[in-house]
Amino acid sequence: AYYWSDSNTKMTTWPGVQMSNMGDNTYSIKIPSDATKIIFNNGGDSKTNDLNIPGMNKIYNNGAWSSYGNNPSTTYPTEEQGTETTGAVYFKNTNNWSNVYAYYWSDSNTKMTTWPGVPMTSVGDNTYSINVSGATKIIFNDGSGQQTNNIALAGANKIYDNGSWSDYDNNQSATEPTETTTPQNPQGRDNVYYKNTNNWSNVYAYYWSDSNTKMTTWPGVQMSNVGDNTYSIKIPSDAAKIIFNNGGDSKTNDLNIPGMNKIYNNGIWSNYGSGQPETQPGTQMTCSVYFRNTNNWNNVRAYYWSDSNKNMISWPGETMVNVGNNVYRIDVPSGATKIIFTNGNGSQTSDLIIAGMNKIYENGKWSKYLQ
């Protein structure tokens, strides 16, 4: 989807932002509210004409716009209100998806998660768990186009199995995790581990990044016991920070994630399985980029992306941090390669290639930032 407005023709760069497969051969994109025109395309030579956007929550189908959801074959939306739920809900993975995600929200807070949601935790017997807080609706999905309908939540400790909710029996031996549970993916590239030296009864992981602070809701996602008082969680590859906690008042400090397949034990990160502290600096999750606000914008934002991931954030980007002397800072993922500095209201730089970490863009060129 390549979109723009008459006042801002640089919201995206061609061919635009890759859309998300929502099932039923339908694709979705979240766009700025002031976008007025759009071109749908395949990233090559096939494309629609320039189209006027008639409003949000619309679908373009066979040359005509209509309200999304009018087609009875679509998976969206459901009108059931749902029960506000705080606690764990469960999903029976009858489709045998390789990955299971939960995308949940409420009418008053539609941004609890970002699509495809939060990876669910396997509790055995092809059943997965997620801790939701204040949500009323949920979509279970595999992160790659397969998904359920919008489902109204029925309360905590319920399991969704073959299209209906029922009470989840925590005492079922087939579904209850034990001390000897083997993780599905013990060396998974998206896993981090925690040694429960405090002997908490429950262990949760609350994780986020500077560009997405709503990956989870407190206290986070319940971790899986993989034996030897060690707990595991599969997290998004772009998560940069984490707090381990017991779901109550006991917790670690905010921790920088040094990379995947790491374990946090007694205040030290190490490679999982090595038993030795990390001797290398680890994976660089974020880097700081600076901008001298010579235009004296009242609001300074940064929109960043890479050729392989044009979906890192939505336009006009993140608000930058004022570090003094009219200089602003943004921490971007290490995979970001391009950036636009903007006031969020029409004034902006051109598309810039990020020159490296701890660089400042000033008067049209990059240089080393000297604090």
Side-chain angles (χ1 to χ4, degrees), residues 67-115:
S67 295
Y68 186 56
N70 286 348
N71 184 345
S73 68
T74 73
T75 57
Y76 288 77
T78 179
E79 297 300 327
E80 291 184 75
Q81 184 174 356
T83 301
E84 185 171 322
T85 301
T86 299
V89 295
Y90 299 84
F91 174 69
K92 190 75 166 181
N93 183 22
T94 53
N95 294 310
N96 294 315
W97 293 333
S98 299
N99 298 294
V100 181
Y101 293 83
Y103 176 76
Y104 52 87
W105 73 99
S106 70
D107 290 335
S108 61
N109 184 358
T110 59
K111 295 182 179 180
M112 290 181 174
T113 54
T114 56
W115 187 263

Side-chain angles (χ1 to χ4, degrees), residues 83-91 102 104-105 112-113 118-121 123 128-138 140 153-160 165 168 170 202 204 216-223 246-247:
T83 301
E84 185 171 322
T85 301
T86 299
V89 295
Y90 299 84
F91 174 69
Y104 52 87
W105 73 99
M112 290 181 174
T113 54
V118 179
M120 297 187 69
T121 301
V123 296
Y128 289 75
S129 169
I130 188 73
N131 203 338
V132 298
S133 180
T136 58
K137 297 175 185 177
I138 198 166
F140 301 107
L153 286 166
N157 292 316
K158 303 286 187 179
I159 184 170
Y160 191 78
W165 290 104
Y168 177 69
N170 290 290
N202 296 294
Y204 293 84
T216 53
T217 55
W218 186 261
V221 181
Q222 191 164 13
M223 300 183 69
N246 70 343

